[in-house]
PDB file of all heavy atoms in Angstrom:
ATOM      1  N   ALA A 200      29.790  45.160  21.353  1.00  0.00           N
ATOM      2  CA  ALA A 200      29.400  44.327  20.217  1.00  0.00           C
ATOM      3  C   ALA A 200      28.322  43.323  20.622  1.00  0.00           C
ATOM      4  O   ALA A 200      27.387  43.055  19.847  1.00  0.00           O
ATOM      5  CB  ALA A 200      30.618  43.599  19.664  1.00  0.00           C
ATOM      6  N   PHE A 201      28.431  42.784  21.843  1.00  0.00           N
ATOM      7  CA  PHE A 201      27.437  41.823  22.302  1.00  0.00           C
ATOM      8  C   PHE A 201      26.069  42.478  22.457  1.00  0.00           C
ATOM      9  O   PHE A 201      25.053  41.919  22.014  1.00  0.00           O
ATOM     10  CB  PHE A 201      27.875  41.232  23.646  1.00  0.00           C
ATOM     11  CG  PHE A 201      26.915  40.231  24.217  1.00  0.00           C
ATOM     12  CD1 PHE A 201      26.831  38.952  23.693  1.00  0.00           C
ATOM     13  CD2 PHE A 201      26.098  40.580  25.285  1.00  0.00           C
ATOM     14  CE1 PHE A 201      25.939  38.026  24.219  1.00  0.00           C
ATOM     15  CE2 PHE A 201      25.216  39.656  25.821  1.00  0.00           C
ATOM     16  CZ  PHE A 201      25.133  38.384  25.286  1.00  0.00           C
ATOM     17  N   PHE A 202      26.027  43.668  23.055  1.00  0.00           N
ATOM     18  CA  PHE A 202      24.743  44.332  23.260  1.00  0.00           C
ATOM     19  C   PHE A 202      24.177  44.842  21.933  1.00  0.00           C
ATOM     20  O   PHE A 202      22.946  44.842  21.752  1.00  0.00           O
ATOM     21  CB  PHE A 202      24.892  45.462  24.263  1.00  0.00           C
ATOM     22  CG  PHE A 202      25.115  45.004  25.673  1.00  0.00           C
ATOM     23  CD1 PHE A 202      26.299  45.254  26.336  1.00  0.00           C
ATOM     24  CD2 PHE A 202      24.128  44.276  26.339  1.00  0.00           C
ATOM     25  CE1 PHE A 202      26.510  44.797  27.620  1.00  0.00           C
ATOM     26  CE2 PHE A 202      24.332  43.818  27.626  1.00  0.00           C
ATOM     27  CZ  PHE A 202      25.518  44.074  28.276  1.00  0.00           C
ATOM     28  N   ILE A 203      25.040  45.257  21.006  1.00  0.00           N
ATOM     29  CA  ILE A 203      24.543  45.608  19.674  1.00  0.00           C
ATOM     30  C   ILE A 203      23.947  44.404  18.980  1.00  0.00           C
ATOM     31  O   ILE A 203      22.918  44.483  18.295  1.00  0.00           O
ATOM     32  CB  ILE A 203      25.686  46.225  18.842  1.00  0.00           C
ATOM     33  CG1 ILE A 203      26.065  47.594  19.392  1.00  0.00           C
ATOM     34  CG2 ILE A 203      25.282  46.334  17.364  1.00  0.00           C
ATOM     35  CD1 ILE A 203      27.249  48.225  18.682  1.00  0.00           C
ATOM     36  N   PHE A 204      24.581  43.241  19.180  1.00  0.00           N
ATOM     37  CA  PHE A 204      24.061  41.982  18.616  1.00  0.00           C
ATOM     38  C   PHE A 204      22.672  41.697  19.163  1.00  0.00           C
ATOM     39  O   PHE A 204      21.758  41.327  18.414  1.00  0.00           O
ATOM     40  CB  PHE A 204      25.025  40.854  18.949  1.00  0.00           C
ATOM     41  CG  PHE A 204      24.581  39.502  18.478  1.00  0.00           C
ATOM     42  CD1 PHE A 204      24.723  39.129  17.157  1.00  0.00           C
ATOM     43  CD2 PHE A 204      24.014  38.590  19.365  1.00  0.00           C
ATOM     44  CE1 PHE A 204      24.304  37.877  16.707  1.00  0.00           C
ATOM     45  CE2 PHE A 204      23.600  37.350  18.937  1.00  0.00           C
ATOM     46  CZ  PHE A 204      23.749  36.995  17.597  1.00  0.00           C
ATOM     47  N   ILE A 205      22.479  41.880  20.478  1.00  0.00           N
ATOM     48  CA  ILE A 205      21.174  41.632  21.084  1.00  0.00           C
ATOM     49  C   ILE A 205      20.125  42.599  20.535  1.00  0.00           C
ATOM     50  O   ILE A 205      19.007  42.206  20.203  1.00  0.00           O
ATOM     51  CB  ILE A 205      21.269  41.761  22.623  1.00  0.00           C
ATOM     52  CG1 ILE A 205      22.093  40.608  23.194  1.00  0.00           C
ATOM     53  CG2 ILE A 205      19.875  41.762  23.252  1.00  0.00           C
ATOM     54  CD1 ILE A 205      22.278  40.672  24.691  1.00  0.00           C
ATOM     55  N   ILE A 206      20.499  43.878  20.425  1.00  0.00           N
ATOM     56  CA  ILE A 206      19.557  44.874  19.894  1.00  0.00           C
ATOM     57  C   ILE A 206      19.201  44.543  18.453  1.00  0.00           C
ATOM     58  O   ILE A 206      18.031  44.640  18.049  1.00  0.00           O
ATOM     59  CB  ILE A 206      20.178  46.280  19.990  1.00  0.00           C
ATOM     60  CG1 ILE A 206      20.334  46.699  21.456  1.00  0.00           C
ATOM     61  CG2 ILE A 206      19.314  47.308  19.246  1.00  0.00           C
ATOM     62  CD1 ILE A 206      21.113  47.975  21.659  1.00  0.00           C
ATOM     63  N   THR A 207      20.188  44.110  17.679  1.00  0.00           N
ATOM     64  CA  THR A 207      19.946  43.791  16.264  1.00  0.00           C
ATOM     65  C   THR A 207      18.978  42.625  16.107  1.00  0.00           C
ATOM     66  O   THR A 207      18.014  42.685  15.334  1.00  0.00           O
ATOM     67  CB  THR A 207      21.275  43.469  15.550  1.00  0.00           C
ATOM     68  OG1 THR A 207      22.150  44.574  15.678  1.00  0.00           O
ATOM     69  CG2 THR A 207      21.036  43.161  14.088  1.00  0.00           C
ATOM     70  N   ILE A 208      19.222  41.542  16.840  1.00  0.00           N
ATOM     71  CA  ILE A 208      18.326  40.378  16.689  1.00  0.00           C
ATOM     72  C   ILE A 208      16.948  40.679  17.264  1.00  0.00           C
ATOM     73  O   ILE A 208      15.937  40.127  16.793  1.00  0.00           O
ATOM     74  CB  ILE A 208      18.928  39.118  17.351  1.00  0.00           C
ATOM     75  CG1 ILE A 208      19.113  39.296  18.857  1.00  0.00           C
ATOM     76  CG2 ILE A 208      20.243  38.745  16.689  1.00  0.00           C
ATOM     77  CD1 ILE A 208      19.588  38.055  19.551  1.00  0.00           C
ATOM     78  N   THR A 209      16.857  41.560  18.257  1.00  0.00           N
ATOM     79  CA  THR A 209      15.559  41.961  18.787  1.00  0.00           C
ATOM     80  C   THR A 209      14.751  42.711  17.730  1.00  0.00           C
ATOM     81  O   THR A 209      13.567  42.430  17.511  1.00  0.00           O
ATOM     82  CB  THR A 209      15.727  42.848  20.040  1.00  0.00           C
ATOM     83  OG1 THR A 209      16.449  42.125  21.038  1.00  0.00           O
ATOM     84  CG2 THR A 209      14.377  43.238  20.602  1.00  0.00           C
ATOM     85  N   LEU A 210      15.408  43.645  17.065  1.00  0.00           N
ATOM     86  CA  LEU A 210      14.735  44.388  15.999  1.00  0.00           C
ATOM     87  C   LEU A 210      14.358  43.478  14.845  1.00  0.00           C
ATOM     88  O   LEU A 210      13.253  43.593  14.278  1.00  0.00           O
ATOM     89  CB  LEU A 210      15.638  45.529  15.515  1.00  0.00           C
ATOM     90  CG  LEU A 210      15.914  46.642  16.540  1.00  0.00           C
ATOM     91  CD1 LEU A 210      16.903  47.658  15.977  1.00  0.00           C
ATOM     92  CD2 LEU A 210      14.611  47.343  16.938  1.00  0.00           C
ATOM     93  N   LEU A 211      15.275  42.583  14.467  1.00  0.00           N
ATOM     94  CA  LEU A 211      14.970  41.645  13.383  1.00  0.00           C
ATOM     95  C   LEU A 211      13.775  40.764  13.729  1.00  0.00           C
ATOM     96  O   LEU A 211      12.884  40.529  12.900  1.00  0.00           O
ATOM     97  CB  LEU A 211      16.187  40.780  13.084  1.00  0.00           C
ATOM     98  CG  LEU A 211      17.321  41.410  12.284  1.00  0.00           C
ATOM     99  CD1 LEU A 211      18.513  40.459  12.219  1.00  0.00           C
ATOM    100  CD2 LEU A 211      16.861  41.767  10.878  1.00  0.00           C
ATOM    101  N   PHE A 212      13.755  40.286  14.964  1.00  0.00           N
ATOM    102  CA  PHE A 212      12.686  39.368  15.368  1.00  0.00           C
ATOM    103  C   PHE A 212      11.336  40.079  15.393  1.00  0.00           C
ATOM    104  O   PHE A 212      10.341  39.539  14.894  1.00  0.00           O
ATOM    105  CB  PHE A 212      13.007  38.801  16.753  1.00  0.00           C
ATOM    106  CG  PHE A 212      11.978  37.829  17.255  1.00  0.00           C
ATOM    107  CD1 PHE A 212      11.926  36.530  16.773  1.00  0.00           C
ATOM    108  CD2 PHE A 212      11.024  38.216  18.200  1.00  0.00           C
ATOM    109  CE1 PHE A 212      10.972  35.634  17.215  1.00  0.00           C
ATOM    110  CE2 PHE A 212      10.073  37.334  18.641  1.00  0.00           C
ATOM    111  CZ  PHE A 212      10.044  36.037  18.170  1.00  0.00           C
ATOM    112  N   LYS A 213      11.298  41.292  15.949  1.00  0.00           N
ATOM    113  CA  LYS A 213      10.010  41.968  16.133  1.00  0.00           C
ATOM    114  C   LYS A 213       9.509  42.684  14.889  1.00  0.00           C
ATOM    115  O   LYS A 213       8.294  42.826  14.715  1.00  0.00           O
ATOM    116  CB  LYS A 213      10.129  42.983  17.288  1.00  0.00           C
ATOM    117  CG  LYS A 213      10.258  42.319  18.654  1.00  0.00           C
ATOM    118  CD  LYS A 213      10.111  43.338  19.765  1.00  0.00           C
ATOM    119  CE  LYS A 213      10.069  42.642  21.118  1.00  0.00           C
ATOM    120  NZ  LYS A 213       9.848  43.588  22.242  1.00  0.00           N
TER     121      LYS A 213
END
Side-chain angles (χ1 to χ4, degrees):
F201 179 75
F202 289 114
I203 291 176
F204 177 78
I205 291 178
I206 294 172
T207 302
I208 62 175
T209 301
L210 294 175
L211 283 173
F212 181 77
K213 290 191 173 183

